[in-house]
Amino acid sequence: MTKRKTYSKEFKLDAIALVREQNYSIAEASRNLEVSAQLLGRWIKESENDDGHAFRGNGKLTPEQQEIRQLKAQVKRLEMEREILKKATIFFAKETK
């Protein structure tokens, strides 16, 4: 079983800098860094679409990201509870008629 190789955020940013700032081609930079050109291209694309989540690394969330995740889970749970209550209200309204 092969273990997937992981790269640090700094390594990824340095690899992107080779292409963007030092005018290496993606193929040349990927050969020098011993990563696939497809992977380097994905890193570049992720950094362009960066909304603060690209290259977070090892699943560690900032406190703000953790709070957002918890709040989204809470909203989802409350929406489900509201739907259940709506259905219960309709059910009991029919029972009383």
Side-chain angles (χ1 to χ4, degrees):
M1 186 173 183
T2 306
K3 184 169 171 117
R4 178 180 281 185
K5 191 169 183 179
T6 57
Y7 300 95
S8 69
K9 178 178 181 177
E10 291 77 21
F11 180 85
K12 293 175 183 179
L13 293 174
D14 288 343
I16 293 167
L18 281 177
V19 175
R20 287 191 179 154
E21 297 167 12
Q22 296 184 17
N23 299 321
Y24 280 75
S25 68
I26 291 176
E28 186 179 17
S30 66
R31 260 192 319 274
N32 290 339
L33 297 171
E34 298 178 356
V35 299
S36 74
Q38 182 180 6
L39 182 60
L40 180 54
R42 184 169 12 139
W43 293 345
I44 292 169
K45 189 175 184 180
E46 286 176 8
S47 71
E48 288 170 354
N49 299 330
D50 187 9
D51 59 353
H53 300 324
F55 313 131
R56 186 171 62 239
N58 298 334
K60 295 178 183 159
L61 300 175
T62 64
E64 293 84 13
Q65 291 169 333
Q66 182 64 32
E67 183 180 11
I68 289 169
R69 180 176 280 178
Q70 290 172 344
L71 290 172
K72 284 182 178 182
Q74 184 179 10
V75 166
K76 187 174 182 178
R77 183 177 44 80
L78 291 171
E79 287 174 344
M80 287 174 32
E81 289 176 1
R82 184 184 68 201
E83 288 302 313
I84 291 169
L85 290 172
K86 280 183 183 179
K87 290 176 183 177
T89 302
I90 292 170
F91 176 77
F92 288 118
K94 289 179 182 177
E95 290 269 323
T96 58
K97 289 183 180 179

